[in-house]
Amino acid sequence: MRIFNTMTRKKEEFIPLLNNEVRMYVCGPTVYNFFHIGNARTFVVFDTVRRYFEYRGYKVKFIQNFTDIDDKMIKRANEENTTVKELGDRFIKEYYKDADNLNIERATVNPRATEYMDEIIKFVEELINKGYAYEINGDVYFNTKKFNNYGKLSGQNLEDLQAGARIDIDERKKDPMDFAIWKSQKPEEPAWKSPWGMGRPGWHIECSCMAYKLLGETIDIHAGGSDLAFPHHENEIAQSEAMTGKTFANYWMHSAFVNVNNQKMSKSLNNFFTAREILEKYEPDVIRLFMLSGHYRTQINFSIDVLESTKAAAERLYNSISNLENLFDEVKLDQLSEKEKDYIKVLNSYKEKYIEKMDDDFNTADAISIIFDLVRDINTNVGIHSSKELVKYSLDLVRELGDPLGILQKSTKSNLEEEIEMLIEQRQQARKNKDWSLSDKIRDDLKNRGIILEDTPQGVRWKKI
Ligand code: AMP
Ligand code: ZN
């Protein structure tokens, strides 16, 4: 597999640290609000990366943090007259609701910054001891000049960065690029006891510390939205590598923005739609298809029109799935014919192309086109005269290729249909066992619910009265 590494600006062969394991850390949300469709893209993209690794046989340790202490958290908690802790608890719950609804797999661990306070304080202490950080009146800063490789991720040196950066002028810092890793308490702020007095950690240090604690000194992949490459990830690298003397992450992945009218969707621009409100109107399959139909490194534009056309596309895929599910019950032949065995090879060629595209830096855009081609082929070639085995193979393949993208897993049958079919199956079993009282009971119970069973030469059929 090949991954575009932001660090080298090249696609590189993916070589994991351990044989079959991928250790990845993704920067997660600040839990002060519902997440929007822009954030959702980042979560969906890296969920897809993780699912695809799993599809290819890797075991994935997937860490995504919750930032539950920072300026935005404090401000919002004050506005809502609540504590930072309660605000975090609440929006972590809301995060899981939306993420689950978007079919995002749960992370191996979602660490909360406030639960790693002791470890973060130790990390800061270590950096001071090693001469990479200094304290001034309760604030601790990272000394960027001391870290030789500062700027390597964004490909700039300290001088360029200083010239281009809009940074707070703080006379107390040794260098304008130095950044706070520990902040002394201001009035009304939540704070933790530390060797430098009451205070709280800076944002960057939490990720360095939690990645180190949960995944070790060097990790395979570090990921996040492209706005995080500088300064967040640059600062994480400085802290972590200063601390361990080892490479922090072997591959850096950044996903591009969701825009609205060519501007980044963001809370501050107030041009956002929450995942929650979009999920009320659109199926998760539609939202994921929309997000994954562009390559993860290209920006995508959000609009209701695009969602509507994606919805129509998703319906085409599900029509085909529904057709195959119905065919499975209706076709008469069981086993593959010789001709069908050849056709299976054609079907498999789609899977090979799909894998080739996904192996090439997770090209979900092309992978989705291949699924559409596959479905078109199946629609033309699989029908009432096909065997059960071919129908099943086709259906399983469509679902198999949808799974890494987190789509196409739903059954098109309603719960009622599924339940009736299960009861019919149980009745058939009872009849085989000559348990006539059970088989009659199942038929009568269904009849009482308005469902009539008919025994036909093609098997049992049911209809509503
Ligand atoms: P935040 O809660 O703002 O820290 O963001 C959580 C994640 O969403 C980060 O990885 C951001 O880079 C990402 N993100 C924020 N806005 C967008 C956007 N418009 N498009 C894609 N990703 C975004
Ligand atoms: Zn982070």
Side-chain angles (χ1 to χ4, degrees):
M1 289 173 63
R2 278 146 46 87
I3 297 183
F4 183 88
N5 188 352
T6 312
M7 183 65 84
T8 57
R9 287 154 200 84
K10 279 202 299 267
K11 279 189 200 166
E12 293 174 7
E13 189 60 34
F14 176 69
I15 304 166
L17 284 158
L18 275 179
N19 268 345
N20 240 8
E21 193 174 293
V22 181
R23 285 183 248 175
M24 67 188 284
Y25 185 101
V26 181
C27 292
T30 308
V31 282
Y32 70 108
N33 213 332
F34 293 96
F35 64 84
H36 61 61
I37 286 292
N39 308 131
R41 182 190 194 191
T42 299
F43 307 146
V44 164
V45 159
F46 294 113
D47 175 60
T48 302
V49 166
R50 177 233 191 129
R51 284 164 171 270
Y52 187 68
F53 273 122
E54 284 168 347
Y55 177 66
R56 299 292 271 133
Y58 289 95
K59 188 172 165 287
V60 185
K61 272 197 191 153
F62 187 94
I63 311 296
Q64 185 179 287
N65 67 303
F66 288 125
T67 297
D68 63 349
I69 175 73
D70 80 339
D71 293 346
K72 285 179 283 189
M73 293 289 300
I74 295 169
K75 186 165 172 271
R76 184 75 197 263
N78 283 339
E79 284 164 7
E80 302 236 322
N81 223 354
T82 182
T83 60
V84 163
K85 165 88 173 76
E86 271 167 14
L87 185 73
D89 288 349
R90 176 175 162 215
F91 281 107
I92 285 172
K93 271 205 202 106
E94 303 291 11
Y95 168 87
Y96 284 128
K97 257 192 228 164
D98 292 338
D100 289 348
N101 283 335
L102 278 170
N103 214 2
I104 292 172
E105 280 181 9
R106 292 272 177 125
T108 317
V109 186
N110 287 124
R112 289 176 71 155
T114 54
E115 287 172 357
Y116 282 76
M117 235 12 114
D118 291 347
E119 288 86 351
I120 292 173
I121 289 168
K122 271 197 213 109
F123 207 111
V124 174
E125 259 183 320
E126 254 326 272
L127 287 175
I128 296 176
N129 292 343
K130 288 180 188 244
Y132 284 102
Y134 55 93
E135 187 238 350
I136 301 173
N137 300 335
D139 291 319
V140 182
Y141 293 100
F142 187 89
N143 188 344
T144 43
K145 275 235 167 72
K146 184 85 203 282
F147 182 69
N148 284 337
N149 288 321
Y150 193 80
K152 68 177 172 178
L153 182 67
S154 41
Q156 289 169 284
N157 60 31
L158 258 184
E159 285 71 40
D160 300 338
L161 285 168
Q162 275 174 27
R166 280 174 290 140
I167 35 177
D168 304 333
I169 303 296
D170 181 342
E171 298 295 329
R172 299 175 310 158
K173 292 198 282 190
K174 291 187 181 165
D175 186 282
M177 292 310 290
D178 293 355
F179 54 91
I181 55 180
W182 187 264
K183 299 176 176 184
S184 57
Q185 182 179 25
K186 297 200 187 77
E188 309 293 316
E189 281 188 0
W192 287 258
K193 216 169 125 200
S194 81
W196 320 285
M198 296 299 285
R200 61 183 167 99
W203 170 36
H204 318 299
I205 196 81
E206 76 177 75
C207 288
S208 280
C209 178
M210 295 188 296
Y212 174 62
K213 281 285 151 193
L214 292 163
L215 296 173
E217 291 181 332
T218 302
I219 64 181
D220 291 299
I221 300 175
H222 197 312
S226 57
D227 53 338
L228 300 189
F230 185 83
H232 184 53
H233 289 160
E234 198 75 73
N235 292 351
E236 280 190 46
I237 293 172
Q239 298 162 153
S240 295
E241 299 193 354
M243 169 78 168
T244 67
K246 307 262 168 59
T247 301
F248 179 32
N250 284 338
Y251 303 86
W252 286 87
M253 294 181 74
H254 292 100
S255 62
F257 293 147
V258 174
N259 291 335
V260 181
N261 296 326
N262 299 319
Q263 260 187 324
K264 178 193 170 191
M265 183 184 287
S266 74
K267 298 212 174 105
S268 54
L269 290 171
N270 206 23
N271 60 353
F272 66 92
F273 292 83
T274 61
R276 177 79 45 104
E277 60 190 314
I278 298 302
L279 274 162
E280 274 164 17
K281 298 195 188 81
Y282 295 92
E283 294 285 327
D285 278 76
V286 174
I287 302 172
R288 290 187 72 118
L289 258 179
F290 157 67
M291 286 171 176
L292 298 172
S293 54
H295 188 274
Y296 77 89
R297 285 187 287 112
T298 39
Q299 302 191 353
I300 51 175
N301 211 43
F302 176 87
S303 73
I304 296 297
D305 284 352
V306 180
L307 272 189
E308 282 297 318
S309 60
T310 311
K311 183 176 163 191
E315 272 164 14
R316 286 208 299 281
L317 296 177
Y318 269 108
N319 281 341
S320 178
I321 287 178
S322 164
N323 189 29
L324 290 169
E325 283 184 328
N326 291 332
L327 274 178
F328 185 76
D329 294 333
E330 287 164 12
V331 291
K332 298 186 191 83
L333 299 168
D334 276 335
Q335 277 167 10
L336 290 177
S337 67
E338 284 310 310
K339 214 170 135 205
E340 286 180 343
K341 283 185 189 156
D342 283 339
Y343 184 59
I344 294 265
K345 289 187 198 136
V346 175
L347 291 182
N348 287 344
S349 69
Y350 287 98
K351 175 168 157 177
E352 282 158 25
K353 277 188 265 177
Y354 170 96
I355 290 178
E356 202 180 291
K357 292 296 178 186
M358 288 294 283
D359 273 2
D360 183 14
D361 193 32
F362 308 94
N363 191 340
T364 55
D366 285 2
I368 288 171
S369 311
I370 290 165
I371 295 181
F372 276 99
D373 293 345
L374 166 70
V375 163
R376 207 171 300 123
D377 202 322
I378 290 173
N379 287 347
T380 331
N381 290 296
V382 181
I384 192 71
H385 300 296
S386 305
S387 66
K388 245 189 183 20
E389 217 179 317
L390 180 64
V391 174
K392 182 165 176 354
Y393 195 91
S394 309
L395 181 57
D396 288 350
L397 184 59
V398 173
R399 291 212 198 274
E400 178 185 326
L401 302 193
D403 190 41
L405 309 174
I407 58 172
L408 306 181
Q409 303 306 302
K410 272 186 321 185
S411 172
T412 58
K413 295 187 174 178
S414 66
N415 289 343
L416 178 69
E417 282 174 67
E418 278 186 358
E419 191 198 346
I420 294 170
E421 270 160 31
M422 205 181 69
L423 288 168
I424 291 177
E425 189 62 41
Q426 280 174 11
R427 177 168 167 267
Q428 294 298 80
Q429 202 55 45
R431 283 162 59 139
K432 250 192 211 151
N433 300 338
K434 302 206 181 342
D435 184 348
W436 309 116
S437 65
L438 177 61
S439 77
D440 286 350
K441 183 180 180 320
I442 293 174
R443 195 194 50 213
D444 293 344
D445 286 351
L446 281 169
K447 193 168 168 198
N448 288 337
R449 292 167 65 185
I451 309 288
I452 307 257
L453 300 188
E454 289 174 344
D455 295 304
T456 74
Q458 287 82 33
V460 182
R461 304 204 162 208
W462 62 272
K463 64 178 189 203
K464 284 188 192 159
I465 319 173

